Structures are given as C-alpha cells and as structure tokens.
Amino acid sequence: MKRNHRRLHILLIALPLLAGLMWGCAKPDPADVAAQAAKQYYDYLLKGKYEAFVDGKYRADSIPGSYRDQLIMNMKMFVGQQEREHRGIKETRVVNAEADTARHEANVFLVFCYGDSTVEEVLVPMVESKGIWYLR
C-alpha cells in the first residue's frame, strides 16, 4: 500500500512536467524541475501531508518502517515548532536553484514565509534518480 501511495505522489509531481514537455519543444531546465519538486514536497508538509513529504526523500522506500514513522513524527514536531515560534509557515517560494546534471544533484533555495511576517531562506539539497527529483 505504501508503494502505491508513493507512486501516486511521484505521479502528481511528474504529470505537470510531462505536460510541459508536450506543449513545448525544449527540454525543461533541470534546476527548474528540481525547484518545483522541492516546493511541492514542502507544500505537502504545510498541508499536513507528512507521509507524502517523507516519501519525497531519496530512497524512502528502502528505509525501515519504524524509521519512516520517526521521520513522520519529526516533521509533525517541526511544523508544530514553526507554529509556536512564528505562527506557522504560511507559504514557500522558490528563490533560486542550481543543478549539476552530471552528478544528478541540485541545490534549491526556498523562502519560508511565516505567519509573523518574517521570512527565512533555506537550502534544500535534491538528488535526481530515474527522472524524478527527491529530497536528499
């Protein structure tokens, strides 16, 4: 069941990219694709879809169930901490992304926009495997 759940999330990330390829002749910029994937994963987190966020981790399907449960709990605690300290993260924005296509890696820079009107820029390392970008 978890694998089907993971496949659905990957499909939801891949579909807009495939649609873009169908309407344009140019290959999408890997940095842009990595950035949109990173943003989608963090949007899952903000919507309380902790499992989908954890499934966005590279090789999430090979981690033991107890560790996966711990990661999910850590994400819940992270969101709760942000709520207490900043009235929550209200939005994520892509600031920049740099991809190394030879190494199948990217660094995505997101901005967290908090409920208390502060912002924070965060680095999100990404890795590409079989055409899908994952959180590293």
Side-chain angles (χ1 to χ4, degrees):
M1 185 66 158
K2 287 182 184 177
R3 286 182 189 232
N4 289 339
H5 188 63
R6 180 178 167 83
R7 288 181 184 149
L8 176 62
H9 292 294
I10 291 171
L11 184 62
L12 290 174
I13 291 171
L15 279 178
L17 303 176
L18 293 173
L21 285 174
M22 290 171 43
W23 281 292
C25 296
K27 187 175 180 181
D29 178 25
D32 289 340
V33 176
Q36 291 309 309
K39 183 179 181 338
Q40 180 63 59
Y41 293 133
Y42 274 89
D43 286 347
Y44 285 148
L45 189 64
L46 300 184
K47 293 176 183 171
K49 297 180 179 181
Y50 307 109
E51 295 86 0
F53 179 84
V54 170
D55 288 343
K57 295 238 179 232
Y58 180 59
R59 299 191 52 138
D61 57 345
S62 65
I63 61 174
S66 60
Y67 182 58
R68 182 178 186 277
D69 293 342
Q70 187 177 26
L71 290 174
I72 291 167
M73 184 57 64
N74 287 345
M75 292 302 96
K76 289 178 182 179
M77 290 188 312
F78 169 77
V79 170
Q81 178 185 11
Q82 300 312 307
E83 188 63 41
R84 286 187 305 279
E85 293 179 4
H86 300 287
R87 292 193 299 221
I89 302 170
K90 301 304 176 190
E91 179 185 6
T92 59
R93 294 183 191 151
V94 174
V95 176
N96 192 20
E98 302 163 351
D100 181 340
T101 55
R103 297 180 71 196
H104 302 277
E105 297 176 345
N107 286 322
V108 176
F109 299 88
L110 296 178
V111 167
F112 292 168
C113 302
Y114 293 105
D116 63 3
S117 299
T118 60
V119 295
E120 179 181 12
E121 186 172 314
V122 295
L123 168 64
V124 181
M126 303 289 288
V127 62
E128 183 266 335
S129 177
K130 299 178 185 175
I132 304 293
W133 286 95
Y134 297 96
L135 301 164
R136 185 171 21 166

